[in-house]
Amino acid sequence: VETADDITGSRERRSWSQSPREPGLLGLQTWRARAAVAAGGQGPGLAWALCPCPMGFPKLVHPPRITVVTWNVGTAMPPDDVTSLLHLGSSGDDSDRADMIAIGLQEVNSMINKRLKDALFMDQWSELFMDALGPFNFVLVSTVRMQGVILLLFAKYYHLPFLRNVQTDCTRTGLGGYWAPPMIRPTLSSKGNKGGVSVRLAAFGHMLCFLNCHLPAHMDKAGSARHNFQTILSLQQFQGPGAQGILDHDLVFWFGDLNFRIESYDLHFVKFAIDSEQLHQLWEKDQLNMAKNTWPILKGFQEGPLNFAPTFKFDVGTNKYDTSAKKRKPAWTDRILWKVKAPGGGPSPSGRESHRLQVTQHSYRSHMEYTVSDHKPVAAQFVLHFAFRDDMPLVRLEVADEWARPEQAVARYRIETVFARSSWDWIGLYRVGFRHCKDYVAYVWTKHEDVDGNTYQVTFSEESLPKGHGDFILGYYSHTHSILIGVTEPFQISLPTLELASSSTDSSGASSEDEDDSTLELLAPKSRSPSPGKSKRHRSRSPGLARFPGLALRPSSRERRGTSRSPSPQSRRLPRVAPDRGSDGGSRGSSEEGTPGLPGPWAFPPSVPRNLGLLPALRLETVDPGGGGSWGPDRKAPTPDSLSPSP
């Protein structure tokens, strides 16, 4: 471990800024304080320290901490704040802060109009959690949705290089898993809006699986819940040489609205036990507690003590249990369990004995302050103890301290011999506080030039770089692993703003106003796909599509494959134009490998509606002013000088 003098006395290689609007971003003062803790000095009670790391950012030295949240939101709109639910307070003691957060939601509104909207935009609940976690360095690793059941998995951005083999799956039970509106649910009994979704991944060399379920409701449906759970476990399978079934993983978290009830006791006794804080009298009649001793499928699953009041059913907007005519009996329907692979089960998928992984539950509680649903959310914090940890990145990125001039926008990277590159890999430029690996400001394909042995470098084009001053991060996105497998620590970009650049251009007379405007329109840095898009200030999670007047939009032949939110083969089928701004080839940027070329003269019929900028899987074709058809691969791509509209 480096001493505080070694760290603070050396040249500050990066800027770790912390703005008042982003309280969770690691500031330089906090970074130095944690370095002092690592050196054995007195610090503000921080629980982790700094170690030398190949990429320069903090390396995990404390046991990893995972927070799991489950919430049946009852088709409600999201609340304004979820800080307390996610344990994101401003306390100086971060002993309960997580390295990963898994959030399972049930009964998210899935009416037809909402599903159509969510097909184009990220749903409001997911946006809420990303907005809340982004300022605290959390990035969305993966998400999966099956009607009203959603699972979100987040991790600190500097842990991403050690998370691999991310896969998702879902299983529908009852009515094919289609969501049932509340007014017709009684006629469907346990069918509809039920099933399970999962995310699995390798974290620091250990195979983890997160399973979010919504099982059949009502007192007499415990047998159906058991059957559904067995169905989910048997049908969900993953690819690759590692764990294929859910229970094959080193560690499984099972949570959700499991809908187990309290048997035997009547409503008055249950409420009396709750009011008198004698919850232990209800434990022995809880259906899940009873099932742990009788269902073989639950062997090995563990759960913390139920020291919080039952989380169902409440009058919406209050903390009062059901006062409707039905007067539902309170129950612990929302649960979080875990299972560690048995030591006698042979080697773990990572090839090492699984008993070397131990799990400790740090807390298990409900959150009564949230009243938007008839369920209360439940959260649990876990500490994972690894006897070994694979913490070597597959790709190591190097970047200068600051990009003050466009020619400094160069990134070097070294690839480990075990890493199999793909021609669809790319390096993205992200603002500090980015929410998802597709939230890049600019990108460049990893078509590279050799520097020295396994070291390569790429260059961002001047047009793709953000103007002004800010803190950024570079990340290497692996198409094979579907995640960032290499990231840098934050660095600064300080480039002239557009206003300064335009005033300088006007004074020199080097280019016309029309040419400047067209260049900004075509090469704006906020594009979400290889096609350059109109720069937007909102943080839409959907694919960006440029709003070019005069473009005809036709469905792609690959539309059935789903939308792509990263540089993709579909987009690369179009010709490309490299905005070569110098004879030395120093400005290649994202357009070198991924930005399609654009046609010459344009036609400008009435503007395309604004919302078309978010439609997925569309192919762009221009309208030939002469009526000669669309521009395609047979037509010659124009040069960069011809990108402005023809008069």
Side-chain angles (χ1 to χ4, degrees):
V1 177
E2 294 184 14
T3 65
D5 291 338
D6 292 335
I7 296 176
T8 59
S10 61
R11 179 169 176 257
E12 297 173 1
R13 299 186 63 249
R14 302 290 184 268
S15 172
W16 296 68
S17 69
Q18 180 179 17
S19 67
R21 296 184 180 180
E22 299 175 329
L25 295 180
L26 186 62
L28 185 58
Q29 297 298 326
T30 303
W31 184 72
R32 287 176 173 173
R34 291 180 174 177
V37 174
Q42 298 296 323
L46 298 172
W48 61 295
L50 289 176
C51 281
C53 182
M55 288 168 289
F57 50 78
K59 181 178 178 181
L60 183 70
V61 296
H62 63 69
R65 296 183 293 257
I66 296 178
T67 295
V68 178
V69 176
T70 178
W71 194 0
N72 184 321
V73 299
T75 72
M77 295 291 292
D80 295 331
D81 181 64
V82 289
T83 300
S84 63
L85 176 61
L86 301 174
H87 295 260
L88 300 176
S90 57
S91 173
D93 181 6
D94 69 351
S95 60
D96 62 345
R97 299 291 177 84
D99 298 291
M100 297 176 63
I101 298 179
I103 302 171
L105 304 176
Q106 307 87 38
E107 292 195 23
V108 175
N109 193 336
S110 297
M111 298 295 286
I112 297 300
N113 59 332
K114 292 291 295 182
R115 292 295 287 139
L116 290 175
K117 182 179 179 180
D118 292 345
L120 302 178
F121 305 90
M122 181 68 73
D123 67 274
Q124 292 175 304
W125 282 93
S126 299
E127 286 280 356
L128 168 71
F129 287 110
M130 286 190 293
D131 288 340
L133 290 169
F136 291 87
N137 293 332
F138 281 97
V139 176
L140 182 65
V141 175
S142 183
T143 181
V144 56
R145 178 172 185 174
M146 184 195 68
Q147 298 301 118
V149 183
I150 297 179
L151 177 57
L152 304 161
L153 182 63
F154 295 86
K156 293 291 183 70
Y157 80 88
Y158 41 78
H159 295 327
L160 295 181
F162 316 116
L163 309 181
R164 301 164 192 168
N165 196 17
V166 181
Q167 299 182 42
T168 64
D169 203 354
C170 64
T171 301
R172 298 175 172 86
T173 58
L175 284 182
Y178 286 101
W179 184 85
M183 66 286 298
I184 68 172
R185 282 183 206 162
T187 65
L188 297 176
S189 184
S190 64
K191 298 181 180 180
N193 197 31
K194 301 297 187 292
V197 295
S198 63
V199 174
R200 75 68 104 30
L201 74 161
F204 297 97
H206 298 265
M207 299 301 297
L208 310 182
C209 184
F210 299 86
L211 175 61
N212 173 30
C213 291
H214 191 188
L215 300 182
H218 303 299
M219 182 72 70
D220 58 343
K221 298 301 179 181
S224 298
R226 173 182 178 178
H227 174 73
N228 284 10
F229 185 48
Q230 289 176 323
T231 300
I232 292 170
L233 293 181
S234 61
L235 292 183
Q236 294 205 8
Q237 299 291 318
F238 304 98
Q239 301 177 351
Q244 296 183 345
I246 290 178
L247 298 183
D248 295 332
H249 291 75
D250 294 327
L251 175 61
V252 178
F253 290 101
W254 175 39
F255 51 97
D257 181 3
L258 307 185
N259 260 320
F260 290 100
R261 308 302 171 96
I262 298 174
E263 292 186 352
S264 301
Y265 301 136
D266 60 18
L267 173 63
H268 297 289
F269 181 82
V270 171
K271 285 191 173 182
F272 170 78
I274 296 172
D275 294 338
S276 60
E277 298 183 355
Q278 299 182 29
L279 300 176
H280 63 277
Q281 297 188 28
L282 307 177
W283 293 348
E284 63 179 9
K285 295 301 181 180
D286 173 76
Q287 289 180 331
L288 180 54
N289 285 338
M290 299 166 62
K292 292 175 188 176
N293 300 323
T294 57
W295 294 5
I297 196 68
L298 296 182
K299 183 179 180 180
F301 277 96
Q302 305 177 60
E303 183 184 19
L306 298 171
N307 290 327
F308 51 90
T311 56
F312 175 83
K313 174 180 178 156
F314 290 87
D315 292 337
V316 175
T318 73
N319 286 327
K320 296 180 180 180
Y321 285 105
D322 187 15
T323 60
S324 68
K326 293 183 178 180
K327 293 190 182 300
R328 296 280 179 83
K329 185 165 57 175
W332 286 290
T333 57
D334 310 281
R335 312 289 278 271
I336 300 173
L337 297 87
W338 75 95
K339 180 178 181 178
V340 179
K341 188 177 178 66
S348 70
S350 59
R352 313 190 187 189
E353 290 299 326
S354 58
H355 71 271
R356 305 183 73 179
L357 167 63
Q358 298 180 355
V359 178
T360 302
Q361 189 176 64
H362 180 68
S363 66
Y364 189 28
R365 56 165 295 194
S366 65
H367 287 263
M368 298 290 290
E369 65 270 26
Y370 295 98
T371 61
V372 299
S373 170
D374 56 355
H375 290 251
K376 299 298 182 183
V378 176
Q381 284 78 41
F382 299 90
V383 178
L384 277 56
H385 303 275
F386 294 151
F388 71 91
R389 185 162 58 228
D390 293 340
D391 53 6
M392 293 302 296
L394 296 176
V395 174
R396 306 184 187 185
L397 287 164
E398 298 178 358
V399 67
D401 301 337
E402 182 181 10
W403 290 357
R405 299 184 305 275
E407 57 267 23
Q408 293 178 321
V410 177
R412 293 190 177 187
Y413 59 97
R414 180 181 296 273
I415 296 177
E416 295 295 325
T417 56
V418 296
F419 173 59
R421 291 178 299 173
S422 168
S423 58
W424 306 116
D425 292 352
W426 43 274
I427 295 176
L429 176 66
Y430 303 89
R431 295 186 184 276
V432 169
F434 71 104
R435 309 182 308 167
H436 190 279
C437 59
K438 305 307 190 312
D439 270 343
Y440 49 77
V441 176
Y443 69 88
V444 57
W445 296 96
T446 57
K447 181 179 180 181
H448 48 255
E449 60 183 47
D450 295 354
V451 176
D452 180 20
N454 288 333
T455 302
Y456 311 94
Q457 77 175 26
V458 292
T459 305
F460 285 83
S461 65
E462 179 179 354
E463 294 85 354
S464 68
L465 296 176
K467 303 303 185 286
H469 178 83
D471 294 332
F472 295 84
I473 294 169
L474 288 179
Y476 185 108
Y477 183 87
S478 168
H479 178 76
T480 302
H481 293 273
S482 300
I483 199 171
L484 296 177
I485 60 172
V487 296
T488 67
E489 60 182 284
F491 65 99
Q492 291 184 347
I493 293 182
S494 302
L495 296 176
T497 61
L498 298 178
E499 291 78 5
L500 293 176
S502 61
S503 61
S504 174
T505 303
D506 293 340
S507 62
S508 62
S511 60
S512 68
E513 181 178 356
D514 291 340
E515 290 175 337
D516 289 342
D517 292 341
S518 64
T519 301
L520 295 178
E521 173 76 15
L522 294 175
L523 299 173
K526 296 293 283 188
S527 174
R528 287 293 188 271
S529 68
S531 304
K534 176 75 174 178
S535 177
K536 301 177 182 178
R537 295 191 177 275
H538 64 75
R539 302 182 68 86
S540 172
R541 304 290 317 148
S542 55
L545 184 62
R547 294 196 305 113
F548 295 134
L551 293 182
L553 305 178
R554 299 182 182 179
S556 169
S557 61
R558 301 189 180 187
E559 184 176 3
R560 289 176 295 179
R561 298 189 181 183
T563 59
S564 171
R565 308 200 31 206
S566 64
S568 59
Q570 297 98 302
S571 302
R572 296 179 65 190
R573 294 174 62 87
L574 295 177
R576 300 167 182 77
V577 177
D580 188 1
R581 291 185 167 271
S583 59
D584 59 353
S587 178
R588 290 181 296 277
S590 59
S591 58
E592 177 189 45
E593 183 62 17
T595 306
L598 295 170
W602 302 340
F604 290 88
S607 300
V608 179
R610 184 180 184 84
N611 61 354
L612 288 181
L614 296 170
L615 290 177
L618 295 176
R619 182 168 63 247
L620 304 180
E621 298 182 358
T622 59
V623 179
D624 192 331
S630 64
W631 170 73
D634 295 333
R635 294 186 59 174
K636 183 177 179 181
T639 62
D641 295 336
S642 65
L643 289 179
S644 58
S646 298

